[in-house]
Amino acid sequence: MTKQSAKTSSANYRKTSGGKRMAQDAGSAFVPVEPFEIVVFGGTGDLARRKLIPSLYHRFCDGQISKKSRIIGASRSKLTRDEYLAKIKEAYQSFNPEVTLSDTKWNAFCELLDYVAIDVTSSKDWSELGKKLDASKKLIRVFYLAMPPALFANICQGLKAAGLAHKQSRVVLEKPLGHDFKSADEINEAVGQVFSEKRIYRIDHFLGKETVQNLLVLRFGNVLLEPLWNRDSIEHIEITVAESIGAGGRGSYYDKSGALRDMVQNHLLQLLCLTMMEAPGSTAADDLRLEKIKVLRALAPITAENVEEATVRGQYVKGKVDGEMAPDYLTDVELEESDAETYVAIHAKVDNWRWQGVPIYIRTGKRMRTRRSEIIIQFKPVPHSIFGEGTPVNPNKLVIRLQPDEAVNLWMEIKEPGAGGLRLKTLPLNLSYADNFTVRYPDAYERLLMDVVRGNLSLFMRRDEVEAAWTWCDGILNAWEEVGQAVSYYPAGSDGPTGAERMLAQQGDEWSDVK
Ligand code: BG6
């Protein structure tokens, strides 16, 4: 880097009316992607209506998607194109009540849209889909499988038999990718018979979140943190993804899954990898993924011998969330009984030189007190306090808040001003997104969908990465079964079962407050 480029370029900043310098809306210049066609299997499903179609609409509005592109919803329902358009418009409006839909833009977007009714378990309807696709085969072709993974093999075989998966085509696999290593392996095998690894995009939408991508920049775009980022300076690490919503509405999926499969196997382990991996050579897909896999493989196995001290399973019962009474899990998912965990806390360890002896506490739960995702790096105390016993010195803490109120706070000790003795105060150096940026944060799917079209695999998981994550989680699942570890109950609106506090207390630690 030249000295010149190391200086802050004033061109990148603007002054607000209050005179405060704010980063210019760097995201406002969108580079259009090449024309493409995307078939969304599960086109009438929740994900398509809530996330995928709205994301494509937003990219279209920003001029990133050309009018030559096509978006084809595919599902079993016998709908006409007009009925499909009406359905997704209604969904857009109900999921985005704050947006006033521009008729002109929405109608222009609808020009790209089409619908095909297809039963993916039969061999019949594939030619109908074929008729909707670009016969010249010039467009980039994307198949998005937003359907239960049990159908992935059928879809891939159907595409192959109908000759629809051409050289330019790629497939996006939505989670859950199996329910254990074996089933994930079977899915990967079946998909791999039709698409080569470089054309398979295994999605984890957390990787598309702005603040999750910022982890890479924070760690590898600053020289300050790296010398401290290890067992010598870090006491422990906490990763929390707390949700205030319950599991209602998706009971049939959720009850078979539970929090470990639904959240830890993918989202939390990805956060853990990005926090703990070595610096990759570049952001190229395989450089990044290789470093993540090394972390997954270094995770100390949790077995029947230590599962009870290293994990806590919980399930919510009724309680108040945001002042409103929320029902218990069984009522939410309309079941008489269930042992599914809606909360899990784990004391994990990464067995390598950098992290030896550093506890990593991860937890996630539904119907928690509030929605909050954060990564906390708890530094060690100063080796010796020069201020005397009556003046406590709090250790530094780095809080990376992923959502909501995205921010990075480095809590430091400073002298409280004033006469009458020396008093220390712990205050944050605050890098708040809201204070510094005025851009709209794109939904994670917006970024990821455009990356699929661009052919950028960096934010998608490689087969061995998914399988390494399953190997570790299978160990926990098997151990739970072996020792018969039941769920502990926690009231909705709380911080989870008290056992999770005891688990940390045994190590002399405590969870940071999730407020
Ligand atoms: C999904 C899980 O992958 O992620 C859900 O299946 C969870 O259970 C969701 O609620 C959380 O994602 P976000 O983006 O809302 O934080």
Side-chain angles (χ1 to χ4, degrees), residues 51 175 205-206 209 241 243 245 250 253-254 262-263 266-267 366 371 373 403:
K51 295 283 186 186
K175 73 172 269 271
H205 78 278
F206 263 51
K209 289 182 190 271
V241 178
E243 298 184 275
I245 55 164
R250 336 163 46 213
Y253 153 73
Y254 193 86
D262 184 50
M263 297 294 288
N266 35 75
H267 308 325
K366 298 230 180 269
R371 175 173 183 255
S373 300
Q403 60 190 28

Side-chain angles (χ1 to χ4, degrees), residues 398-411:
L398 179 68
V399 180
I400 305 166
R401 189 161 335 117
L402 306 173
Q403 60 190 28
D405 309 329
E406 295 78 356
V408 179
N409 281 291
L410 179 58
W411 291 82

Side-chain angles (χ1 to χ4, degrees), residues 335-383:
L335 286 173
E336 296 279 299
E337 58 179 45
S338 165
D339 186 47
E341 78 282 354
T342 60
Y343 173 101
V344 63
I346 304 175
H347 171 187
K349 294 174 188 165
V350 170
D351 278 341
N352 61 21
W353 274 36
R354 188 188 280 262
W355 297 117
Q356 197 48 235
V358 179
I360 305 140
Y361 304 121
I362 62 184
R363 62 176 165 170
T364 181
K366 298 230 180 269
R367 285 258 196 264
M368 304 281 284
R369 183 176 359 175
T370 187
R371 175 173 183 255
R372 170 69 54 97
S373 300
E374 50 191 26
I375 299 172
I376 294 181
I377 313 294
Q378 177 64 65
F379 289 98
K380 291 189 169 169
V382 291

